[in-house]
Amino acid sequence: MKEKLTFILPKGSKVTDMGELEYRIEGLIGYDSNSITYAATPFIMGKEINHRVVLKEFFLKSVCKRGADGMKMMISPDDAHKVLRHMKDFKMAAVAMKELSCKHSALATIRHIIDANNTIYCEMDHIEGGSLREWVEHNGGLKEREALRIVRPLAQALQVLHEGNWAYLNLTPDNIILSGNEVGKPVLTDFDEARELTPQGQHIHVDGGISHVIGFAPVEQYNETLSISPAMDVYSLGAILLYMLSGRVPPLAFDVNEEYIIRAVPIDTRASTCNAIVAAMKPAGEGRPKTIAELLAMLPEEEEEKPTAEEEPEELEELELADDYLPLEGEYEAEGNQAPEAVAAVGQPQPAIPAEEKPVAATPPQEKPAPEKREMEDTAMDSPSVAMPQYGPPVTTIGATPVQPSAPQYEAPEGEDANATVVREAPSAAPKHIWEEMEKMKERKPSADNSMGRSLLWVALITFIVVAIMAAVLIFS
């Protein structure tokens, strides 16, 4: 049967401290046995501030009621002592949390504390995001790395409270909000059960014990007479880590043992993480770490962030651009250097150049200087079919005088395989009459002297054959 929420302040009602501050209730966020949490809009001197806040009201639901106006908290004389004692504890914790919350981002900031409607209200920052319980119920258990990214900020926030002589005592998945729904940005939002630490060996009496949530409170938190120590928060933090890894609420503290924990965590969980959970959830005085610092020392070291898949392609692209680099035509001339003996053509595979080093133009070998221009011309006139040494791609010569468009090139005679002839580009400095002589040499026909020489060769060959035959006849006769 659904509970009637008659103790909830109606939407649109206003809470004021009879001073400058005023809050308009926008809706219910949640409630527990000691308090009610609302979404509210603040006003300062009657002027609306354009942002939402969280307004937490002390309301002991088991014994308190609303007055006739639906606003004021009413208590019976028989319960007055109990309610006033709880209200005092609530206000002391609120004052302490207001001072300590500004020291760590994983603690929800308390801005104002006001008295109104016979009770206490606290204004806190509104945090966008869902609770850890909602995240796990929707996504299942977290990976070990993600769980540790949540545990570490929580542990540091608890250390701040312990150093301020306070214990949190209410670490549950409902009280941990993931800011912006991002893993790694947890915030503790509730402080109803926070208590001052008691000196070692000293105990206090709490009627009914401290409020506890099954699975996350240590055994000693069920007792009415107890000693408040940081070790109680150590147990709850270990239970939170176990909950995130397994995706299941741990059993009562009385039923937790090492075998259960080992079976509950994923098989790929590191031994150091598993051992830390086992130690944290041991009974008090039986090996449980006494401080958060001791528990943190047992966890694996925080891993360095690695580049994401989106960042890696950019780095590869930069390397590819660097590898494709080649000096442009004319760079050697612009820098006043001679061309090397051989430069691979653009587009051919080149040795990789590291991305972090800037490519530099290759320097020519010193022991083999380029032949001088005059020698090239002489070679060209003597042997037109021999290719002149080239630098760079076949068409363009780097470091030599550019070819003039008007200069004629060697052409293969009719019937000759043009592909077998090595063609070079003629230097532009060759005199015009040289090219005319070369053209005449190509058209020149065999002379009479050459014909006479071939006739004499045939006569000599025939004479040799006749003499050889006569010698053979004389020998065998």
Side-chain angles (χ1 to χ4, degrees), residues 169-192:
L169 303 182
N170 198 18
L171 193 60
T172 69
D174 292 309
N175 293 335
I176 300 170
I177 302 298
L178 299 181
S179 178
N181 288 319
E182 292 185 29
V183 173
K185 293 185 177 181
V187 181
L188 292 175
T189 60
D190 202 349
F191 58 86
D192 291 4

Side-chain angles (χ1 to χ4, degrees), residues 9-324:
L9 293 178
K11 182 178 180 179
S13 58
K14 292 189 176 182
V15 175
T16 177
D17 66 345
M18 305 305 293
E20 297 180 351
L21 288 175
E22 187 178 51
Y23 302 90
R24 183 178 67 214
I25 303 299
E26 303 294 347
L28 175 68
I29 295 178
Y31 63 89
D32 55 28
S33 59
N34 292 340
S35 63
I36 307 170
T37 306
Y38 305 94
T41 300
F43 291 79
I44 297 180
M45 299 182 66
K47 184 177 180 180
E48 180 179 345
I49 306 301
N50 190 25
H51 72 275
R52 290 288 180 89
V53 298
V54 171
L55 197 65
K56 181 179 283 289
E57 176 190 32
F58 170 78
F59 193 90
L60 205 59
K61 189 165 63 74
S62 60
V63 295
C64 296
K65 297 180 180 180
R66 294 292 179 188
D69 61 354
M71 297 291 295
K72 291 184 179 180
M73 185 182 72
M74 307 301 292
I75 56 178
S76 65
D78 295 338
D79 299 319
H81 178 72
K82 178 181 179 180
V83 172
L84 292 176
R85 180 165 52 82
H86 280 82
M87 187 185 297
K88 179 183 176 182
D89 292 341
F90 182 90
K91 189 170 185 178
M92 286 179 60
V95 172
M97 295 302 109
K98 181 181 178 181
E99 179 182 351
L100 296 173
S101 62
C102 62
K103 295 184 178 181
H104 199 280
S105 59
L107 295 171
T109 304
I110 298 178
R111 300 294 180 182
H112 300 285
I113 302 172
I114 65 173
D115 296 315
N117 298 328
N118 295 334
T119 187
I120 306 295
Y121 293 89
C122 298
E123 177 197 333
M124 306 171 68
D125 287 345
H126 182 267
I127 302 170
E128 295 289 345
S131 68
L132 178 60
R133 183 184 297 277
E134 293 170 341
W135 179 279
V136 172
E137 288 180 352
H138 183 267
N139 299 287
L142 282 73
K143 295 180 180 178
E144 181 184 7
R145 182 180 179 184
E146 295 175 334
L148 292 174
R149 287 178 61 194
I150 292 177
V151 162
R152 288 191 177 94
L154 292 177
Q156 294 165 2
L158 292 173
Q159 279 185 301
V160 171
L161 298 184
H162 296 167
E163 291 169 1
N165 205 41
W166 283 81
Y168 187 72
L169 303 182
N170 198 18
L171 193 60
T172 69
D174 292 309
N175 293 335
I176 300 170
I177 302 298
L178 299 181
S179 178
N181 288 319
E182 292 185 29
V183 173
K185 293 185 177 181
V187 181
L188 292 175
T189 60
D190 202 349
F191 58 86
D192 291 4
E193 301 299 331
R195 303 275 176 148
E196 282 188 283
L197 299 175
T198 55
Q200 188 174 1
Q202 183 176 336
H203 295 71
I204 61 172
H205 180 80
V206 180
D207 292 338
I210 297 175
S211 179
H212 46 263
V213 176
I214 294 176
F216 301 97
V219 172
E220 58 267 32
Q221 203 161 314
Y222 290 84
N223 302 328
E224 291 189 352
T225 301
L226 68 162
S227 177
I228 308 299
S229 71
M232 300 170 76
D233 285 337
V234 169
Y235 180 96
S236 299
L237 189 61
I240 288 290
L241 182 53
L242 176 60
Y243 170 73
M244 289 190 291
L245 292 174
S246 67
R248 293 177 291 176
V249 175
L252 281 168
F254 303 95
D255 301 325
V256 174
N257 54 48
E258 182 175 351
E259 182 181 358
Y260 171 82
I261 295 172
I262 294 175
R263 290 178 178 273
V265 299
I267 193 171
D268 59 348
T269 304
R270 283 173 284 188
S272 54
T273 301
C274 189
N275 292 336
I277 297 173
V278 171
M281 299 187 73
K282 285 183 176 181
E286 297 186 14
R288 185 196 304 170
K290 296 180 179 179
T291 65
I292 293 294
E294 293 180 20
L295 178 61
L296 282 174
M298 300 180 67
L299 294 173
E301 295 182 2
E302 189 171 3
E303 299 178 0
E304 295 183 3
E305 292 294 331
K306 298 180 180 180
T308 61
E310 290 77 9
E311 295 172 349
E312 290 178 354
E314 295 180 2
E315 295 181 359
L316 293 176
E317 184 177 353
E318 291 178 2
L319 288 174
E320 290 174 0
L321 290 174
D323 291 346
D324 289 342

